[in-house]
Structures are given as C-alpha cells and as structure tokens.
Amino acid sequence: MQLAKGVEWTTHICAMLPLVPEGQGLSVDALADYFEVPSAYLAKQMQLLRRAGIVRSVRGKGGGYRLARSPDDITLLDIVTAIEGPMPAFRCTEIRQNGPCGLKRKDCKRPCEIASAFAVAEQTYREALQAKTLASVMQDAAMNSSPEHMVEIAGWVQRQVA
Amino acid sequence: MQLAKGVEWTTHICAMLPLVPEGQGLSVDALADYFEVPSAYLAKQMQLLRRAGIVRSVRGKGGGYRLARSPDDITLLDIVTAIEGPMPAFRCTEIRQNGPCGLKRKDCKRPCEIASAFAVAEQTYREALQAKTLASVMQDAAMNSSPEHMVEIAGWVQRQVA
DNA sequence: TTTTATCCGGATAAAGAATATCCGATTAAG
DNA sequence: CTTAATCGGATATTCTTTATCCGGATAAAA
C-alpha cells in the first residue's frame, strides 16, 4: 500500500507554482530540472493535474504550466485524487458470499461490516487531506525557510521564463 | 494505492476464528475452502498474522490456527499492519533537497510540510482502524445475520476439526 | 514562411510489487 | 515409525507503477 511518487512530485510543484509571475508558465522540462525528476514521466503527471482542473497549460513557444486557481482553493486531496484516481484503497470482493457458508446475494444489499469500517477510516483520511490547502502548505514552508531562499527561487523562475 | 487482498481475507478469517472451539484449530486448507481463496497464498498471509501475534498455530496432526488473544484485544489496525507492514503510504524522498534551489541537508532536520500533512492524515486513518476491534466487527455482523447462519457455520467448523 | 519551443496523446518498454504455487524440513499425534 | 499438518524458502506469474519515445498540434519568434 503506497502512494505513487507522482503525488510527492506534483504536490511540491503545486506549492511552488504560485511563484510564477502573472501571465507566464513553466515548462515540464523546467519543472523536472527543479526537482531532478524524470521529465517524460512528470509530463504525464502534469496532464493528470490539468484534466483535474488544478493547473492550466499553454502550448507553443513560451508556454508552460501554472496554477488554474487560487492556492487556498486547492487541497492535498485534490492532488491525490488527480494522480491516484478516486478508487478506495480497500476494495471489498464480497468473499462473504463465497464458500460452503456463503451468504445469498439478496442478503448482501448493505456493505459488510469490514468494508464499512475501512470506508470510515478512509473517509477520515480524505477529510484530513481536504482540510490542508496549498496556501496552508506554502505558509508552513515560508515559516521554516529564509527570505534569501525565496529570492533564489524567484530568480530561478525569472531565468526560466526569459 | 490499494490494500493487499490478504487484508480482506485475513480480516474475514479473524472474524470467524472465535467460533472455533477451545483447544482446537482450523487448517489453512479449511480456511481457504471457507472463503474460496487460494490455499498456498493464504498460508503466507496466516504466517504474517502469526508473527504479529494475532493468531496462534499448532503443528502436526489435528493442528491449525486459532486466535492468539481475545477478539476485543485485536483491532483492524493490528491486522493491516501485520499484512501490509508498518510503512507509511506516503514516503518522502526529500526532493526539496534536489535541483538548483535545493535546500542544504542541515536545513532539513524537520520533515517537510507536505510529508507532515500526509503523516497527520495517515495517523487519523490508523486511529480509525485501531478504534475498531474484532469483537465490534463480529457484533455488527451478528446484527445483520440470522441465528440459522451461525448454526450453519458452527456445524461446518465441527466437521472440519472432526 | 520557416524555425523553434511546447503541450498532447498514444504506444511501448522496464522495473517493482502483489499474487500465487511448489517443495523440502520440521513438528506432533497416532 | 508412519501420517498429517505447519513452517520456511525458492520460484513463477500477473499486475501496477514507473519511465521513455514518437508523431501530431499549437503558438510564438525569426
């Protein structure tokens, strides 16, 4: 049971994309360089974010990616769902209907107690991720970082779009 | 991101093992038959439960598996951890240290905000699973089941150990 | 218009994890 | 001693994740 690497990558990327100036964007290659991750694979992950409406892309020369909406309107759950899909981690295969003492189908209209318990647990997980916005993540990061580092990043972004 | 099938299998098994009479056990083959799951693979999962101290095994003729302790002293988290291992779903690879604007190692003593947020979410997930005991699961199941079905199961168990 | 830079989508390949099976060793009951 | 059963390791298979590549579309700049 493990989250895809793309979740870590794209979350970090979403947390730095707000530093891109208005009307501009960062290319996949630039983003891949920034975190030293494989460019071709990252491109796939960025497409997932775009289809989920989290980032916006501009084609052609000078194009690239930027956030599609405000950082306080994007949650970690949005990103995880975009990359991993909406499927629950625990999938009930109804084995209670199997075997010599299996239940009849008509007696299984409600989900079994075990599936229910896991569904509850996953719901609390999702709620915790939904409560954490990108804006909040950035604020926490700024607290533990230095002004110089912010300037360093801003400078790097400038050079990419130039 | 998905839980192993073994989690579903062994949870259902743990929820029926208390029906095994004192001093007896069910073989892996019997358990596999009960839920129509592959016997050889289930054997591996049962070994994991045993190493985690959830079930107790007796070798030799007439041997088999039974719960190692009281159903209200076993939680769903115990079972998931036994099967899946203790590793978190989100694994931070410290990509904040990568690339042209990467942080120095000495500035990364505390986990990054993103890893922290996921750790919090996973903790709520674990707490929800820890709050659900096997005894509670069995009680819920009894509510939605019929006395006849219980008798049916008890009879089947009898025939297995005989 | 041509060139260059970029995203888009599909096809494909490589790596790793989950799933599944088998067999010899070990242990206990009869 | 013989038989039944688990234990543990080795191995095979299948599926998912990870990763790469290429042809096409789009847009800006030369």
Side-chain angles (χ1 to χ4, degrees):
Chain A
M1 175 195 177
Q2 53 192 32
L3 288 175
K5 288 182 185 175
V7 171
E8 185 190 11
W9 301 353
T10 58
T11 305
H12 275 277
I13 284 173
C14 285
M16 70 82 77
L17 276 184
L19 299 180
V20 176
E22 187 81 20
Q24 301 190 300
L26 283 179
S27 74
V28 169
D29 283 345
L31 293 171
D33 286 347
Y34 189 90
F35 286 114
E36 290 183 56
V37 296
S39 160
Y41 186 44
L42 178 61
K44 284 272 176 289
Q45 314 293 318
M46 294 306 293
Q47 281 181 32
L48 294 174
L49 289 190
R50 181 186 62 81
R51 284 179 206 146
I54 295 171
V55 299
R56 177 182 296 275
S57 70
V58 174
R59 288 212 225 182
K61 192 169 182 180
Y65 284 99
R66 51 181 299 104
L67 281 192
R69 48 183 204 262
S70 166
D72 53 33
D73 200 31
I74 298 175
T75 72
L76 293 193
L77 181 62
D78 294 333
I79 298 172
V80 170
T81 305
I83 301 295
E84 295 276 337
M87 279 212 314
F90 181 94
R91 283 158 310 164
C92 179
T93 62
E94 288 289 337
I95 63 175
R96 62 176 167 172
Q97 296 180 28
N98 293 358
C101 300
L103 292 170
K104 303 297 171 194
R105 191 138 195 196
K106 64 181 177 65
D107 295 330
C108 297
K109 286 169 185 169
R110 277 190 292 185
C112 81
E113 318 73 37
I114 293 171
S116 299
F118 278 95
V120 166
E122 290 188 30
Q123 186 56 26
T124 69
Y125 176 73
R126 283 193 219 95
E127 281 166 8
L129 290 183
Q130 191 160 34
K132 193 74 182 175
T133 66
L134 261 192
S136 166
V137 169
M138 293 178 64
Q139 192 173 353
D140 294 353
M143 298 271 273
N144 295 355
S145 180
S146 65
E148 298 85 46
H149 192 233
M150 289 302 218
V151 173
E152 186 186 359
I153 297 173
W156 179 86
V157 171
Q158 279 301 324
R159 287 192 296 280
Q160 298 307 310
V161 297
Chain B
M1 175 196 177
Q2 55 192 33
L3 288 174
K5 287 183 186 174
V7 171
E8 185 191 12
W9 302 352
T10 57
T11 306
H12 276 277
I13 284 173
C14 285
M16 70 82 76
L17 276 184
L19 300 180
V20 177
E22 187 81 20
Q24 302 190 300
L26 283 178
S27 73
V28 169
D29 283 345
L31 293 171
D33 285 347
Y34 189 89
F35 287 115
E36 290 183 55
V37 296
S39 160
Y41 187 42
L42 178 61
K44 282 273 176 289
Q45 315 294 318
M46 294 306 293
Q47 282 180 32
L48 295 174
L49 288 190
R50 181 187 134 277
R51 282 179 211 147
I54 295 170
V55 299
R56 178 181 295 276
S57 71
V58 174
R59 284 198 190 178
K61 188 172 182 180
Y65 284 98
R66 51 182 299 104
L67 282 192
R69 47 183 205 263
S70 165
D72 53 32
D73 200 31
I74 299 175
T75 71
L76 293 193
L77 181 62
D78 294 333
I79 298 173
V80 170
T81 305
I83 302 294
E84 295 277 336
M87 279 212 314
F90 180 94
R91 284 158 308 166
C92 180
T93 62
E94 287 289 336
I95 63 174
R96 62 177 167 172
Q97 296 180 29
N98 293 358
C101 301
L103 292 170
K104 303 297 172 196
R105 191 143 199 189
K106 65 181 179 65
D107 295 330
C108 297
K109 286 170 185 169
R110 275 190 293 184
C112 81
E113 318 73 37
I114 293 171
S116 300
F118 278 95
V120 167
E122 289 188 31
Q123 186 55 26
T124 69
Y125 175 74
R126 283 193 219 95
E127 281 166 8
L129 291 182
Q130 191 160 33
K132 193 74 182 175
T133 66
L134 260 192
S136 165
V137 169
M138 293 178 63
Q139 193 174 352
D140 293 352
M143 297 272 272
N144 296 355
S145 182
S146 65
E148 299 85 46
H149 192 232
M150 288 302 220
V151 173
E152 186 186 359
I153 297 174
W156 180 86
V157 172
Q158 278 302 323
R159 287 191 298 280
Q160 298 307 309
V161 297

